Amino acid sequence: MENLVEKVETAATWITAQSKFKPEIGLILGSGLSSVGEEIEDVEVFPYEDIPGFLRSTVEGHLGRLMIGKLQGRVVLALQGRFHRFEGYSMPQLTLPIRVIRQLGIEILITTNASGAINENYRPGEILLMADHLNLTGDNPLIGPNCDAFRTRFPDLSEAFSRRLRDKVKRIAAAEGIELQEGVYAGLVGPSFETPAEIRALRVLGADAVGFSAVPEVITAVHCGLQVLGLSCLTNMGAGMQSNPLTHEETLDVATAASRKLIDLLKAILPQL
Ligand code: HPA
């Protein structure tokens, strides 16, 4: 754990030294949503491999760079490309980027991703505001000696996704005429998509959508005191709910097509956070 704390400090110190900004809001850009990064102005770009102690992303559609700059007048730090358990990273390793974000003094984390719809009222291309999550990874990023530097051994997750931020986003989306679903995100490890039986089981468990990210990040973020907002692009109906097989290409195509909506929403939200 000492080693991890050192890595967080090394990466954060390096970023602080390289950047002319003091970032206020962290943004994780998921599958097909990296174009949000193109909207950042006066941008500084740091490839992950240049940041001492940082991780590298290996998934197609995930670029692998940290960007700092201005979006709607707010200084944002965006991770263009995230890290997943299925890439072989351990859960403790997945805590690193989130803790670096916190170490830089950021208080709000917006995590975005792609997910499959389980709720039959949802449609591909819609945006889901995460109200809560189900951690179905069978694992937890906080297993191991507690990182006391980052607070309590037993963090409370009764409001993992900030109610204050969610209420704000719903108000803003309504005012802007952006349709939004709100529901429970089930986080699995992947990388195989679910079976139709698993989708039915997840529905019984109370999941509205399913994906392979967010959960380790959200638990870590709450642990280190970040307020979290989770936005997901519903890219497909869950396995067995649509006639065609699921592919990563479809996920990327739909997320890319829907990214305009997500960018508009983010731009509307940022000045009011
Ligand atoms: N399952 C898991 N992750 C996903 C899906 C899905 O159907 N769609 C996009 N990400």
Side-chain angles (χ1 to χ4, degrees):
M1 194 53 70
E2 273 313 303
N3 190 18
L4 189 64
V5 174
E6 275 167 27
K7 279 189 175 161
V8 169
E9 279 172 2
T10 304
T13 305
W14 186 89
I15 293 164
T16 304
Q18 301 288 318
S19 177
K20 65 173 190 252
F21 293 113
K22 176 152 179 30
E24 309 167 89
I25 296 164
L27 200 50
I28 301 178
L29 305 175
S31 295
L33 301 170
S34 61
S35 62
V36 176
E38 316 308 331
E39 307 263 330
I40 301 174
E41 292 163 3
D42 204 7
V43 69
E44 299 169 340
V45 177
F46 307 107
Y48 292 156
E49 61 265 27
D50 290 356
I51 307 173
F54 217 70
L55 313 177
R56 280 135 215 240
S57 73
T58 65
V59 186
E60 195 190 325
H62 287 252
L63 285 173
R65 51 197 201 166
L66 185 151
M67 308 165 93
I68 305 181
K70 290 203 162 178
L71 198 55
Q72 296 295 94
R74 303 302 297 268
V75 182
V76 299
L77 178 156
L79 297 186
Q80 210 178 29
R82 65 142 53 74
F83 309 98
H84 310 79
R85 178 74 189 87
F86 67 74
E87 292 173 82
Y89 290 115
S90 68
M91 283 291 215
Q93 280 180 304
L94 296 182
T95 65
L96 190 129
I98 308 301
R99 289 171 169 167
V100 169
I101 283 173
R102 183 66 178 135
Q103 186 81 11
L104 291 169
I106 289 172
E107 294 189 352
I108 293 176
L109 177 70
I110 305 177
T111 181
T112 69
N113 64 13
S115 61
I118 293 177
N119 186 316
E120 284 158 324
N121 296 319
Y122 293 178
R123 288 292 165 263
E126 290 181 336
I127 296 179
L128 174 78
L129 174 63
M130 295 181 209
D132 205 345
H133 77 219
L134 288 169
N135 175 10
L136 299 176
T137 64
D139 204 346
N140 193 293
L142 307 180
I143 287 176
N146 188 44
C147 203
D148 291 328
F150 296 106
R151 303 206 186 172
T152 177
R153 169 81 287 190
F154 303 107
D156 171 41
L157 292 182
S158 50
E159 205 187 291
F161 297 91
S162 158
R163 177 174 294 279
R164 185 184 72 83
L165 294 179
R166 274 190 286 137
D167 286 347
K168 229 175 220 189
V169 169
K170 283 188 277 187
R171 260 200 320 274
I172 294 166
E176 298 284 322
I178 299 170
E179 214 184 311
L180 207 55
Q181 300 287 3
E182 185 176 21
V184 174
Y185 174 90
L188 275 62
V189 170
S192 51
F193 287 117
E194 302 70 38
T195 63
E198 286 165 347
I199 292 293
R200 289 193 298 274
L202 289 168
R203 188 178 299 123
V204 172
L205 288 177
D208 295 298
V210 58
F212 305 143
S213 64
V215 163
E217 298 161 2
V218 172
I219 294 172
T220 308
V222 171
H223 183 240
C224 63
L226 284 157
Q227 297 168 60
V228 182
L229 185 62
L231 294 169
S232 187
C233 176
L234 298 160
T235 56
N236 54 277
M237 301 309 287
M241 297 174 74
Q242 61 178 42
S243 49
N244 52 315
L246 305 183
T247 65
H248 184 52
E249 288 66 37
E250 179 191 11
T251 298
L252 288 180
D253 288 349
V254 178
T256 304
S259 63
R260 189 68 251 165
K261 218 187 311 183
L262 196 78
I263 292 171
D264 289 346
L265 181 62
L266 276 175
K267 284 183 149 179
I269 296 167
L270 282 171
Q272 299 192 48
L273 287 182

